[in-house]
Amino acid sequence: MNMRKVTIALMAINVLVSIKGFNDSSFFNRYKFSVSGILAGQKDRMFSSAFLHVDFPHLFFNMFTLYFFADVVIDWFGPIKFIIIYLMSLAAGSLLALSFHKNEPYYSAVGASGAVTGVLYAAILLQPQMQLGIMFIPIPLPAYVIGIGYLLYSIYGMKNRVGNIGHTAHFGGAIGGYLTTLFFNPSLLITDTLMVILLAIPIIILFALEKMGKI
């Protein structure tokens, strides 16, 4: 399978399903992430919701990020393992969202952000020194700095319910991408031990706060 084709195929699925959702509210409501729907037995929502988006800007941002970082992961692992990382990140994002919001029956969400964040975090783990630019900061920063900062902000967002954003799914996706990458390339534990530890710090903080009941 051509490396670029697998990314385009994933993007095409997201675009087609999202456009269907834009134009069909009953389809959107049936397949979005909904705690009450999932607990009632509609487990497919945990997967289908990751291909729906609220609007075109939401869709564009996720697909732009996916397109930008997919090549890093594919170059390391090939297209099949890239798809596995994408799907494992998607699943981890939905599972963490369900775990944290299981007592909120009206909680709902959509978007590929969990899967895309997993691909992003996998790319950072594989190439932590690549330079990334972000808005409002005039100089590029090492990828691992942005990755750690992003997850710490996600913890803050989860704790304080900042914006209409699925911070929990983003964080779960990052965990999925991180763990699946280490499963496929365990030598990173030896060759890049410090980076593996640094990128694990936000994950440890999240579960420590959850254990203490602070989130």
Side-chain angles (χ1 to χ4, degrees):
M1 190 185 298
N2 181 280
M3 287 187 178
R4 182 67 70 183
K5 283 182 180 176
V6 71
T7 308
I8 299 300
L10 271 178
M11 292 172 66
I13 294 169
N14 274 279
V15 169
L16 291 172
V17 175
S18 293
I19 289 174
K20 171 69 173 170
F22 296 159
N23 297 310
D24 186 341
S25 59
S26 62
F27 177 86
F28 183 91
N29 289 324
R30 169 57 186 84
Y31 291 107
K32 70 181 181 180
F33 184 98
S34 161
V35 170
S36 59
I38 292 166
L39 294 181
Q42 296 172 340
K43 301 292 193 289
D44 57 327
R45 290 175 181 268
M46 297 183 70
F47 179 80
S48 60
S49 60
F51 294 92
L52 290 166
H53 289 81
V54 172
D55 50 31
F56 276 109
H58 184 210
L59 173 63
F60 174 80
F61 182 77
N62 275 333
M63 295 305 98
F64 178 81
T65 307
L66 175 64
Y67 187 83
F68 190 77
F69 290 101
D71 278 359
V72 175
V73 180
I74 295 171
D75 285 345
W76 274 78
F77 293 134
I80 301 301
K81 288 183 177 177
F82 162 73
I83 292 172
I84 293 171
I85 288 172
Y86 185 93
L87 294 176
M88 291 297 290
S89 301
L90 185 164
S94 290
L95 286 169
L96 193 68
L98 184 62
S99 173
F100 270 75
H101 299 288
K102 62 182 180 292
N103 295 320
E104 302 168 45
Y106 296 106
Y107 181 86
S108 65
V110 292
S113 302
V116 172
T117 305
V119 171
L120 168 64
Y121 219 63
I124 291 172
L125 183 57
L126 293 166
Q127 291 184 201
Q129 298 299 336
M130 63 178 169
Q131 299 291 302
L132 301 178
I134 57 174
M135 291 184 297
F136 312 122
I137 298 179
I139 57 170
L141 296 171
Y144 73 90
V145 172
I146 293 177
I148 293 168
Y150 179 72
L151 286 198
L152 291 175
Y153 171 74
S154 292
I155 293 174
Y156 171 81
M158 290 164 65
K159 186 174 174 59
N160 295 283
R161 302 299 177 97
V162 175
N164 188 26
I165 298 171
H167 296 288
T168 318
H170 295 184
F171 204 104
I175 295 172
Y178 175 85
L179 293 178
T180 311
T181 299
L182 288 178
F183 178 79
F184 286 148
N185 190 2
S187 64
L188 289 169
L189 293 163
I190 306 300
T191 61
D192 221 344
T193 309
L194 178 60
M195 203 53 61
V196 170
I197 293 170
L198 285 175
L199 289 171
I201 288 173
I203 299 171
I204 295 167
I205 290 173
L206 174 68
F207 286 104
L209 288 173
E210 196 274 336
K211 187 78 172 171
M212 293 186 290
K214 304 223 183 233
I215 194 168

